[in-house]
């Protein structure tokens, strides 16, 4: 079976690499020529553990190829996955322009039966629109399906190879059979439903996870007020098998290319349908407010004024093991601190090239120890393991004032305090 994957971002590239790894012949397409030229040489434009190895191996054995040519990509492909970006518009709703332009380009080359699968995160109304576009440009039978992606950046390859579930949203038996066949090597529960339900499952999953994060962050504020420990509360809460431990890690809130955008899109989609999704708006609001809450903690350490203080931000990426800066919590944190007159020093193991494009007037360092010389405070914004392993005694000697503001509850409070640091974390 020949597969074509449109879009070589995180989802598209991982999808293409994983299907080629499973033994299928896959063509990855992107309209970005320089990206495709790099990929043809096995060079990745994103940082994702394990992905380069998979791409290189499958390029070498000719199961994976890349092109910018729709004719070449669509030719003989029975399954065509659309994995292009769905950016947010100003009002929070999703912008379908890339999904629609990719669909049109595919349809123009389609002269055989194929299943067009939307993997991009889109609201249910998209399926009909995609069908209409294909019908307008192709003279052949086709099916449109939705198989949402649940992979996480930083562990994308592993998530794609060992998915928690495969949701097949489809209205045709023929398309369902093909999709079951192509996923059959993945040991995961299958759920067949309509494309609309599949798409809403994806939004519901991300909205639920975002809700858990905002919930635990709100509980952390209560913990601070009464001197309780949110880590203990989260652990105790998660021991209830109906609740579970995951996504109850308090911190600066959620970022990335998915949770913020998808919650906004769901709120906007609900509004269009005449439903005020106020509940989810509050989830988003708690996430926004978390930065101000953290800054109020920083202020308290310096008797209110931050003007002229040097703060060293360790971690810029939206989470560890990625270079992705999209909606990273470090961005509003740094911008707000700068407005208060703080001088920002920063270090991230891999995200600095991307961060430099976004953050201005920041002094970037190639080493965390250098970034802490003369600093008035260490701020953890992303919980990289590298920061957990730092020599804190060495750091204390280098800093002007031994303050740690731990926005990800990375450290063990008693250990840090024993070393003589003033330690501020979230909810403990
Ligand atoms: C998320 C989902 O976890 C994936 O299942 C989904 O496929 C993906 O979005 C998507 O829609 O494409 P991702 O954005 O890669 O994946 O990152 P997560 O690991 O979910 O983390 C998102 C944010 O939440 C990060 O900023 C992280 O720091 C934060 N987070 C996560 C917390 O603050 N607390 C937690 O307990 C967990």
């Amino acid at each position: 079976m020949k597969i074509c994957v449109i879009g070589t971002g995180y989802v598209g590239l991982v999808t293409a690499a994983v299907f080629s790894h499973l033994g299928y012949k896959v063509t990855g397409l992107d309209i970005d020529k320089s990206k495709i030229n790099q990929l043809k040489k096995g060079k990745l434009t994103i940082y994702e553990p394990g992905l380069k190895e998979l791409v290189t191996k499958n390029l070498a054995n000719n199961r994976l190829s890349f092109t910018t040519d729709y004719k070449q990509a669509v030719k003989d492909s029975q399954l065509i996955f659309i994995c292009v970006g769905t950016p947010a518009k100003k009002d929070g709703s999703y912008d379908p322009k890339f999904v629609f332009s990719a669909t049109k380009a595919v349809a123009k080359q389609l002269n055989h039966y194929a299943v067009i699968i939307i993997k991009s995160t889109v609201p249910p109304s998209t399926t009909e629109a995609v069908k209409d576009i294909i019908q307008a440009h192709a003279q052949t039978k086709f099916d449109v399906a939705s198989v949402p992606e649940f992979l996480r950046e930083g562990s994308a390859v592993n998530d794609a190879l060992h998915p928690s579930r495969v949701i097949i949203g489809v209205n045709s038996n023929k398309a369902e059979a093909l999709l079951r066949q192509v996923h059959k090597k993945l040991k995961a529960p299958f759920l067949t439903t309509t494309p609309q339900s599949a798409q809403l499952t994806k939004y519901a999953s991300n909205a639920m996870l975002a809700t858990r994060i905002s919930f635990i962050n709100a509980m952390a504020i209560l913990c601070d007020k009464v001197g309780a420990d949110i880590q203990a509360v989260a652990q105790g809460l998660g021991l209830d098998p109906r609740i579970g431990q995951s996504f109850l890690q308090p911190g600066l809130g959620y970022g990335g290319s998915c949770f913020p955008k998808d919650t906004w899109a769901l709120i906007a989609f609900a509004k269009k349908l005449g439903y005020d999704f106020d509940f989810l708006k509050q989830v988003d609001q708690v996430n926004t407010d978390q930065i101000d809450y953290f800054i109020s903690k920083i202020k308290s350490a310096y008797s209110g004024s931050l003007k002229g203080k040097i703060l060293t931000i360790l971690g810029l990426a939206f989470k560890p093991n990625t270079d992705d800066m999209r909606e990273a919590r470090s961005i509003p944190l740094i911008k707000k601190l700068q407005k208060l007159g703080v001088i920002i020093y920063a270090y991230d193991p891999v995200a600095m090239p991307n961060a430099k494009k976004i953050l201005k007037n920041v002094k970037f360092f190639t080493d965390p120890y250098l970034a802490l010389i003369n600093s008035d405070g260490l701020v953890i914004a992303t919980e990289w393991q590298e920061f957990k392993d730092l020599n804190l005694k060495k750091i204390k000697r280098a800093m002007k004032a031994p303050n740690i503001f731990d926005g990800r509850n990375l450290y063990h409070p008693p250990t840090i305090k024993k070393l003589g640091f003033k330690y501020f974390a979230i909810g403990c």
Side-chain angles (χ1 to χ4, degrees):
M1 182 160 16
K2 206 183 146 217
I3 294 173
C4 140
V5 178
I6 313 287
T8 58
Y10 278 98
V11 172
L13 194 53
V14 173
T15 302
V18 163
F19 279 131
S20 63
H21 175 74
L22 294 178
Y24 299 103
K25 209 158 166 66
V26 183
T27 308
L29 178 141
D30 205 292
I31 51 172
D32 183 335
K33 280 194 183 128
S34 70
K35 210 171 177 185
I36 291 297
N37 285 337
Q38 299 270 352
L39 286 170
K40 279 181 176 172
K41 292 182 214 149
K43 289 187 183 158
L44 267 58
T45 46
I46 50 174
Y47 173 83
E48 185 60 45
L51 187 55
K52 190 172 163 51
E53 292 77 357
L54 218 58
V55 169
T56 313
K57 194 181 96 192
N58 289 293
L59 275 173
N61 65 26
N62 285 324
R63 284 208 292 251
L64 181 61
S65 63
F66 294 101
T67 183
T68 53
D69 181 2
Y70 271 95
K71 190 169 185 179
Q72 189 189 328
V74 171
K75 190 169 181 278
D76 304 329
S77 289
Q78 280 171 286
L79 299 180
I80 300 170
F81 288 88
I82 301 208
C83 303
V84 295
T86 48
K89 285 188 192 170
K90 275 210 173 98
D91 66 352
S93 65
Y94 104 110
D95 190 339
K97 67 181 173 198
F98 298 126
V99 173
F100 291 169
S101 59
T103 303
K104 189 172 165 187
V106 165
K108 282 182 169 174
Q109 304 302 333
L110 203 62
N111 52 21
H112 60 280
Y113 172 82
V115 189
I116 291 83
I117 307 113
I118 310 172
K119 238 187 197 313
S120 305
T121 304
V122 295
S125 51
T126 312
T127 312
E128 286 308 312
V130 161
K131 254 187 206 164
D132 291 346
I133 294 172
I134 304 173
Q135 236 143 24
H137 294 92
Q139 307 297 321
T140 180
K141 285 197 172 155
F142 67 91
D143 280 306
V144 174
S146 174
V147 181
E149 186 52 68
F150 298 102
L151 57 81
R152 292 161 299 173
E153 286 182 26
S155 54
V157 172
N158 191 52
D159 287 350
L161 284 171
H162 309 282
S164 51
R165 70 283 207 200
V166 176
I167 310 262
I168 298 180
V170 75
N171 285 321
S172 117
N173 293 339
K174 188 174 177 182
E176 183 191 344
L178 282 169
L179 284 167
R180 276 186 174 266
Q181 191 192 328
V182 77
H183 289 100
K184 75 168 184 251
K185 284 188 189 159
L186 301 173
K187 304 266 169 292
F190 280 66
L191 175 73
T192 303
T193 181
T194 61
Q196 286 78 2
S197 300
Q199 283 151 358
L200 275 188
T201 307
K202 166 71 188 192
Y203 276 111
S205 302
N206 279 1
M208 171 65 92
L209 294 170
T211 300
R212 287 174 69 104
I213 297 167
S214 281
F215 174 76
I216 206 69
N217 282 335
M219 287 302 299
I221 294 174
L222 283 189
C223 285
D224 275 338
K225 287 191 189 295
V226 299
D229 176 1
I230 190 64
Q231 298 300 142
V233 172
Q235 199 185 354
L237 175 67
L239 282 172
D240 184 331
R242 294 170 301 177
I243 297 173
Q245 301 283 353
S246 61
F247 281 75
L248 290 178
Q249 177 58 37
L252 295 177
Y254 56 79
S257 64
C258 306
F259 288 176
K261 175 176 71 79
D262 293 349
T263 45
W264 301 331
L266 194 52
I267 292 166
F269 182 63
K271 189 178 172 190
K272 257 191 191 164
L273 300 174
Y275 175 61
D276 182 0
F277 212 149
D278 201 34
F279 170 83
L280 211 48
K281 285 184 197 163
Q282 292 308 315
V283 169
D284 181 52
Q285 192 60 50
V286 169
N287 199 51
T288 304
D289 293 347
Q290 193 67 357
I291 297 295
D292 293 328
Y293 180 65
F294 188 59
I295 290 177
S296 71
K297 279 183 174 250
I298 299 179
K299 275 184 179 165
S300 72
Y302 304 100
S303 327
S305 174
L306 294 179
K307 204 165 182 347
K309 298 283 179 219
I310 298 172
L311 291 182
T312 302
I313 315 289
L314 294 187
L316 298 166
F318 89 90
K319 67 174 190 177
N321 300 320
T322 177
D323 64 349
D324 198 338
M325 284 294 296
R326 285 177 288 178
E327 298 296 331
R329 306 304 284 153
S330 63
I331 302 171
L333 174 67
I334 289 173
K335 286 187 175 168
K336 286 188 174 198
L337 288 172
Q338 284 176 326
K339 273 202 176 140
L340 295 169
V342 175
I343 298 161
I344 302 287
Y345 289 2
Y347 168 80
D348 186 283
V350 298
M352 285 198 291
N354 286 338
K356 283 176 186 170
K357 295 177 205 155
I358 301 164
L359 297 164
K360 300 290 163 235
N361 301 318
V362 169
K363 193 164 177 193
F364 292 96
F365 288 81
T366 51
D367 176 283
Y369 294 102
L370 292 178
L372 282 153
I373 294 174
N374 253 341
S375 176
D376 290 294
L378 182 168
V379 178
I380 297 286
T382 315
E383 66 277 32
W384 286 91
Q385 182 63 36
E386 182 179 333
F387 304 149
K388 204 164 185 171
D389 300 338
L390 286 173
N391 180 338
L392 290 164
K393 282 187 184 157
K394 186 174 162 186
I395 281 174
K396 191 165 169 258
R397 283 195 297 273
M399 291 176 76
K400 199 193 293 172
N403 295 308
I404 295 184
F405 305 99
D406 189 348
R408 294 291 174 184
N409 290 6
L410 184 66
Y411 296 120
H412 182 234
T415 315
I416 296 290
K417 286 178 189 162
K418 223 173 163 181
L419 289 170
F421 284 99
K422 275 194 189 163
Y423 182 67
F424 304 81
I426 309 273
C428 55

